[in-house]
Structures are given as C-alpha cells and as structure tokens.
Amino acid sequence: AQSVTQLDSQVPVFEEAPVELRCNYSSSVSVYLFWYVQYPNQGLQLLLKYLSGSTLVKGINGFEAEFNKSQTSFHLRKPSVHISDTAEYFCAVYPVSGGSNYKLTFGKGTLLTVNP
Amino acid sequence: ETGVTQTPRHLVMGMTNKKSLKCEQHLGHNAMYWYKQSAKKPLELMFVYNFKEQTENNSVPSRFSPECPNSSHLFLHLHTLQPEDSALYLCASSQTSGREETQYFGPGTRLLVL
C-alpha cells in the first residue's frame, strides 16, 4: 500500500514570491507521482507528473517538481506566484506495478493562498 | 465537448429523494472512477469501472449505486442519503494500458443533502 503526506495544510504567500509545496510518500513498490490543482468550485486538473527519466519535471502554469527517491519526496515549486495560483494542490502516487493495486493515492491537499 | 463532463454541477436533495449523477468522458478511455471529496478529508475512491465492469467497491454504502452502461458513461444513483453524504462527487477516467494511468477529472457535482 502507499501513503502520501503533504506536510503543510495551508501555505500563504505574497504575489511574486517563490513557493514550495512539500510532498512525501511511502511505498513498498516503485511509484509514479502526480500533482493536481483544484481551483475553487472546480474539479482536479493535472499539473505535472513524474514517470521516469529526469527527476526535474516541468508542468503547466510555470510549476515544476523534483523527484527525490532517497528522500521519497516530490516537492512542487514555482519561482514567482500569481494571485491566480490560489488553489488547493494535491500530491498523488500510483504504483508502477499497476494490476490489481491500481489505486491513485492522494495526500490531504495544501491550500495555497496568494495575497497581493 | 472535451475531457470529462459531469451533470448536474449542483444538487440539493432531501433524504427521501432519488437522484442520479451523470459523468461522460470524451477521451476514449476504458476506465472510469467515482470519488467523494469531503471537507478536511482526503479524496475517497468509491467505485472503479474497467471496460464497463465494476472492479472496485470501496466499502461504499448501498444507498450509492453505480452504473456503467458503456466505457464513456458513468452514473451514480442516489437514494435515501444522509446529511453526511453532502460532498463534492468527482468523476475521473483513464486509459488502462498496463503503464501509468493518468486520471483526468471532471468538474464535480456539489451535493447537499437536507
């Protein structure tokens, strides 16, 4: 089984400041990693994903994340945030082995609030 | 239309009502999912359908009844719900190709049970 821990439930930042949203996971098997964003009153939108290869993954809206296998982390970063980035961000993992254990396991989410 | 659509977007129902939520995916995927999102709780996987066959029922009460007539459509039939069932219900779809299966989500149905 897998578990995902998002260390901060809320992150307030000022506009144009850098931000890092932290995600750690636990799994007995290799996993694929995802970040989703949920804007108010909307569903989840895929931001980026790590499958293999380069550990630095670039996504939409200027976000990027780095996979660190030794620390079992997949932190999300943006060098300069905008008011429109205010949303809830979810980290998720999916077992590489798939098969019967195909569940996408989510963290509890981090609410990013960007203030002017 | 593109992606995953859900109707209605908002629903208010009494505990004795019967209603249905609809999900449609336009991505050619073969797997569809129902999730429940309650305040302050992680997303809860409710049901999974793979090639129209239900492959997961995550201990969901029988007052929730899913239906998947084909790979593009998924329904969630609701009856005699409780106030604690008020939540955002999200539908998702993916292509089960034996590799990574990125799930794409709809906008959700916000349900309020009175």
Side-chain angles (χ1 to χ4, degrees):
Chain A
Q2 294 78 43
S3 67
V4 178
T5 302
Q6 291 185 242
L7 297 158
D8 305 296
S9 59
Q10 297 187 51
V11 174
V13 294
F14 288 108
E15 195 173 17
E16 298 184 6
V19 70
E20 178 180 82
L21 306 183
R22 296 180 293 171
C23 172
N24 286 86
Y25 69 92
S26 173
S27 177
S28 57
V29 299
S30 295
V31 293
Y32 299 120
L33 299 118
F34 304 81
W35 275 100
Y36 285 87
V37 59
Q38 186 176 32
Y39 298 105
N41 300 313
Q42 294 188 31
L44 275 67
Q45 179 182 358
L46 182 68
L47 260 184
L48 50 79
K49 59 185 177 183
Y50 172 79
L51 306 181
S52 64
S54 172
T55 56
L56 183 62
V57 180
K58 294 189 184 297
I60 61 172
N61 302 338
F63 283 93
E64 63 181 32
E66 185 153 22
F67 171 51
N68 188 320
K69 188 173 183 179
S70 62
Q71 297 186 3
T72 60
S73 68
F74 191 53
H75 301 333
L76 182 70
R77 301 186 183 99
K78 186 170 182 177
S80 176
V81 294
H82 303 287
I83 299 283
S84 58
D85 292 322
T86 294
E88 188 140 30
Y89 292 78
F90 293 91
C91 182
V93 300
Y94 186 94
V96 171
S97 55
S100 61
N101 187 22
Y102 44 60
K103 295 179 185 178
L104 186 60
T105 303
F106 286 90
K108 291 186 177 181
T110 297
L111 179 61
L112 173 65
T113 303
V114 182
N115 298 300
Chain B
E1 296 202 60
T2 59
V4 181
T5 58
Q6 291 186 244
T7 55
R9 292 293 309 276
H10 301 273
L11 180 62
V12 180
M13 59 187 290
M15 290 189 287
T16 58
N17 292 157
K18 289 184 180 181
K19 297 286 184 182
S20 296
L21 310 185
K22 179 183 176 182
C23 174
E24 185 173 0
Q25 60 97 359
H26 309 269
L27 300 168
H29 291 162
N30 59 5
M32 298 186 76
Y33 311 79
W34 278 118
Y35 287 87
K36 176 183 179 183
Q37 186 179 32
S38 305
K40 309 299 182 185
K41 293 176 69 174
L43 271 77
E44 301 173 55
L45 179 64
M46 300 175 71
F47 300 104
V48 180
Y49 277 82
N50 203 332
F51 291 101
K52 304 187 299 178
E53 298 298 321
Q54 184 176 315
T55 55
E56 181 86 16
N57 178 337
N58 212 17
S59 302
V60 180
S62 60
R63 56 186 184 270
F64 294 91
S65 175
E67 179 190 359
C68 188
N70 55 61
S71 294
S72 298
H73 294 86
L74 184 65
F75 296 89
L76 188 62
H77 304 300
L78 316 171
H79 63 97
T80 59
L81 294 192
Q82 304 298 311
E84 60 264 28
D85 296 323
S86 299
L88 181 68
Y89 289 85
L90 292 164
C91 174
S93 72
S94 71
Q95 182 62 30
T96 54
S97 59
R99 198 172 178 265
E100 62 85 19
E101 299 173 11
T102 303
Q103 292 184 20
Y104 294 88
F105 286 79
T109 295
R110 176 75 61 187
L111 173 66
L112 178 61
V113 181
L114 301 176

